[in-house]
């Protein structure tokens, strides 16, 4: 081999080495392991991600009967941030075991919606003849939640296997939300579902919908909550032969059918939990007073599957009249409870306070009593103008509640800038910064 040939080969090798170094510097990729088979990769390893167009995605973790979703997700590291420097990273889901005061999101969450990442963790159900499993997989962020029909036997089996721990006769910590129409997902619904994740720590978050919502808040939600399941069903158009056309009445029927079939906690799209409901899970059915001595509010209610009260309530729809606003959904359960006291039922006054006649206190005043409540109904349909701006920065009870849910503290994460006086006022005083 001549000297000129050796020099040429050395030059080519040097160019190859330099090219490889430049590639790793520009892409931010780490160098491969020297001995890639010398150790086993951890189950949630961020490195060595499969290509986005790869169809082979290995399961991240499996839940078997007798183990809870919480025990699996609690092994994940705390959620460090909504966004990352590189969109090739995997989204970090919210772990369900964390201190009550721990933030679900960083203070700058609105500037990073949705999280910049390429993959998210998604749960799906695997039903075999003798077992039921929930499997977590890394999928593209564009992949929708796993969908199951309302009558799918696998869904009912999974709820029974994964949401009823140790054979206890309790209302399951199962979260239900009904959304029909595929409209844009609102910020207050985003916060409401996160509130159920914080305080209910559900085995599953069920979205009962014909078409899934859209928008940046929805994209963010599915990236943060891996065990969100799409229960696919159409809006009820008839019940016991009676036509149903008002969309709110369709939702009333769907939510009652969901809790009656599966058990759990139904939460409206404009309802925010403020505290755990563990103290109420030993009852058969739980509802809250809306207007004293008039009705209950079905914006939130809890029940065991096939509870006697729920069956009687559902059968009352045999006389349903679509022209009567809210009669069967609010006044009827109040009447049933007082006419049939033998049916197991528990009434609380901490679900809906204040109610719509004095709800402006929530937006305009520092309504300190919210800390003793289980939750708040926002009545967004009646007061839409209050929800057009960023309300985690509002100097009001609504702002406090939002910060309480997102950041674990009602008095943190307020930007050092003038607050919006058109939306909130509290005797000219600011919350502590």
């Amino acid at each position: 081999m001549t000297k000129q040939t050796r020099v040429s080969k050395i030059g080519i090798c040097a160019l190859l080495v330099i090219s490889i170094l430049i590639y790793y510097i520009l892409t931010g990729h780490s160098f491969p392991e020297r001995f890639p088979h010398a150790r086993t990769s951890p189950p949630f390893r961020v490195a060595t991600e499969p290509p986005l167009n790869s169809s082979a995605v290995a399961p991240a973790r499996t839940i078997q009967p007798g183990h809870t979703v919480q025990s699996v997700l609690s092994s994940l590291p705390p959620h460090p941030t909504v966004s990352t420097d590189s969109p090739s990273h995997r989204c970090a889901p919210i772990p369900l075991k964390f201190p009550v005061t721990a933030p679900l999101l960083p203070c700058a969450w609105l500037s990073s919606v949705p999280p910049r990442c390429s993959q998210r963790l998604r749960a799906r159900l695997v039903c075999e003849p003798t077992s039921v499993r929930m499997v977590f997989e890394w999928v593209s962020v564009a992949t929708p939640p796993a969908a199951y029909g309302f009558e799918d036997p696998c869904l009912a089996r999974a709820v029974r296997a994964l949401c009823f721990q140790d054979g206890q006769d309790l209302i399951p910590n199962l979260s239900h939300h009904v959304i029909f129409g595929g409209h844009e997902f609102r910020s207050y619904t985003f916060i409401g579902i996160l509130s159920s994740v914080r305080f209910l720590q559900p085995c599953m978050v069920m979205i009962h919908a014909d078409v899934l919502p859209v928008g940046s808040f929805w994209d963010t939600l599915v990236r943060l909550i891996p065990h969100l399941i799409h229960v696919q069903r159409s809006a009820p158009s008839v019940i016991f032969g009676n036509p149903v056309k008002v969309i709110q009445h369709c939702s009333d029927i769907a939510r009652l059918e969901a809790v009656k079939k599966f058990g759990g906690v139904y939460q409206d799209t404009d309802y925010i939990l403020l505290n755990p409901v563990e103290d109420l899970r030993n009852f058969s059915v739980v509802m809250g007073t809306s207007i004293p001595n008039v009705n209950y509010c079905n914006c939130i209610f809890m029940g065991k599957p096939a509870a006697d009260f729920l069956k009687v309530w559902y059968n009352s729809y045999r006389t349903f009249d679509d022209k009567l606003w809210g009669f069967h959904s609010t006044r009827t359960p109040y009447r049933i409870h007082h006419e049939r006291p033998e049916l197991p039922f528990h009434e609380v006054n901490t679900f809906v306070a204040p109610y719509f006649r004095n709800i402006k206190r929530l937006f305009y005043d520092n309504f300190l009593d919210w800390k003793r409540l289980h939750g708040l109904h926002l009545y967004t349909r009646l007061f839409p103008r209050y929800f057009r701006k960023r309300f985690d920065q509002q100097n009001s009870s609504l702002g406090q509640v939002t910060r309480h849910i997102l950041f674990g503290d009602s008095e943190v994460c307020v930007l050092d800038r003038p607050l919006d006086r058109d939306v909130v006022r509290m005797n000219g005083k600011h919350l502590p910064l």
Side-chain angles (χ1 to χ4, degrees):
M1 182 182 295
T2 65
K3 182 177 181 181
Q4 185 176 4
T5 302
R6 286 198 302 271
V7 170
S8 299
K9 289 187 175 181
I10 292 173
I12 293 172
C13 292
L15 287 175
L16 288 174
V17 172
I18 293 172
S19 300
I20 293 172
L21 288 174
I22 292 175
Y23 167 78
Y24 280 103
I25 292 173
L26 293 179
T27 61
H29 289 177
S30 58
F31 288 99
E33 298 280 351
R34 183 178 179 183
F35 302 105
H37 302 293
R39 61 184 182 182
T40 303
S41 300
F44 292 102
R45 189 175 179 182
V46 174
T48 65
E49 294 179 1
L52 287 182
N53 58 358
S54 173
S55 59
V57 181
R61 193 72 67 88
T62 300
I63 298 179
Q64 301 282 1
H67 297 82
T68 64
V69 180
Q70 293 93 322
S71 66
V72 173
L73 292 185
S74 63
S75 65
L76 294 173
H79 192 277
T81 179
V82 174
S83 63
T84 60
D85 294 332
S86 172
S88 65
H89 289 179
R90 287 172 169 172
C91 300
I94 297 176
L96 290 187
K97 290 292 186 181
F98 50 83
V100 175
T101 57
L104 292 180
L105 299 172
C107 290
W109 69 283
L110 270 183
S111 62
S112 304
V113 176
R116 294 180 63 245
C117 47
S118 62
Q119 292 185 321
R120 68 175 186 87
L121 204 59
R122 185 185 78 152
R124 64 180 177 87
L125 306 176
V126 178
C127 289
E128 297 172 344
T130 59
S131 66
V132 180
R133 295 177 292 139
M134 177 180 282
V135 178
F136 288 91
E137 300 173 327
W138 288 107
V139 298
S140 165
V141 293
T143 305
Y148 302 89
F150 183 75
E151 300 294 343
D152 191 329
C154 181
L155 186 61
R157 289 180 59 196
V159 170
R160 177 57 60 181
L162 303 175
C163 299
F164 292 82
Q165 295 89 32
D166 303 324
Q168 295 177 336
D169 185 24
L170 299 175
I171 295 175
N173 59 344
L174 176 61
S175 181
H176 298 280
H177 308 268
V178 175
I179 305 174
F180 290 132
H183 53 73
E184 183 177 358
F185 198 68
R186 302 298 183 184
S187 57
Y188 50 80
T189 306
F190 173 79
I191 294 168
I193 294 180
L194 287 184
S195 73
S196 70
V197 170
R198 178 183 283 282
F199 294 117
L200 185 60
Q201 298 191 1
C203 58
M204 278 183 269
V205 177
M206 287 188 174
I207 304 296
H208 300 259
D210 49 356
V211 180
L212 288 175
V214 296
S216 60
F217 285 104
W218 172 255
D219 294 339
T220 302
L221 188 75
V222 297
R223 299 176 194 195
L224 295 176
I225 306 177
H227 56 305
L228 187 149
I229 300 295
H230 176 197
V231 181
Q232 198 166 35
R233 62 166 301 172
S234 301
S237 59
V238 63
I239 182 168
F240 295 116
N242 303 307
V244 186
K245 297 182 180 179
V246 177
I247 191 62
Q248 289 83 0
H249 292 165
C250 296
S251 176
D252 291 336
I253 295 168
R255 69 187 69 172
L256 179 53
E257 290 177 340
V259 177
K260 182 170 70 74
K261 180 178 178 65
F262 300 107
V265 181
Y266 169 78
Q267 189 176 326
D268 225 341
T269 56
D270 62 348
Y271 190 90
I272 297 178
L273 278 176
L274 301 176
N275 286 293
V277 295
E278 192 66 25
D279 57 322
L280 301 173
R281 290 181 60 203
N282 61 318
F283 295 103
S284 178
V285 175
V286 182
M287 293 191 75
T289 303
S290 178
I291 303 177
N293 303 317
V294 175
N295 66 352
Y296 296 136
C297 186
N298 69 340
C299 56
I300 181 174
F301 63 98
M302 307 167 55
K304 297 177 182 178
D308 291 337
F309 185 93
L310 298 179
K311 292 178 181 178
V312 174
W313 183 10
Y314 187 73
N315 285 332
S316 72
Y317 276 84
R318 295 181 183 279
T319 60
F320 174 73
D321 186 347
D322 204 31
K323 298 178 182 178
L324 299 178
W325 174 260
F327 179 81
H328 280 79
S329 59
T330 64
R331 292 177 179 264
T332 295
Y334 181 87
R335 176 182 57 80
I336 292 173
H337 173 52
H338 288 84
E339 293 180 357
R340 300 282 305 275
E342 76 278 7
L343 297 176
F345 182 88
H346 184 66
E347 175 185 345
V348 296
N349 60 2
T350 52
F351 274 178
V352 190
Y355 70 102
F356 70 92
R357 291 182 181 175
N358 56 8
I359 193 65
K360 290 185 179 180
R361 295 175 58 193
L362 177 63
F363 307 115
Y364 280 134
D365 301 327
N366 189 11
F367 179 45
L368 296 178
D369 287 343
W370 65 261
K371 294 182 180 179
R372 69 171 179 82
L373 302 176
H374 280 104
L376 287 170
H377 189 200
L378 300 182
Y379 294 99
T380 56
R381 188 179 60 85
L382 301 179
F383 306 100
R385 67 189 182 95
Y386 295 113
F387 301 95
R388 295 171 183 168
K389 300 183 180 181
R390 176 173 175 173
F391 43 89
D392 69 307
Q393 290 296 307
Q394 291 184 15
N395 187 18
S396 65
S397 292
L398 181 59
Q400 292 179 11
V401 164
T402 303
R403 293 186 288 273
H404 173 63
I405 300 304
L406 297 180
F407 314 127
D409 190 327
S410 61
E411 297 184 353
V412 300
C413 297
V414 181
L415 298 179
D416 188 13
R417 60 178 176 79
L419 297 174
D420 192 339
R421 294 296 184 178
D422 294 334
V423 178
V424 293
R425 48 187 168 86
M426 188 181 68
N427 299 323
K429 296 180 182 180
H430 291 273
L431 292 172
L433 299 178

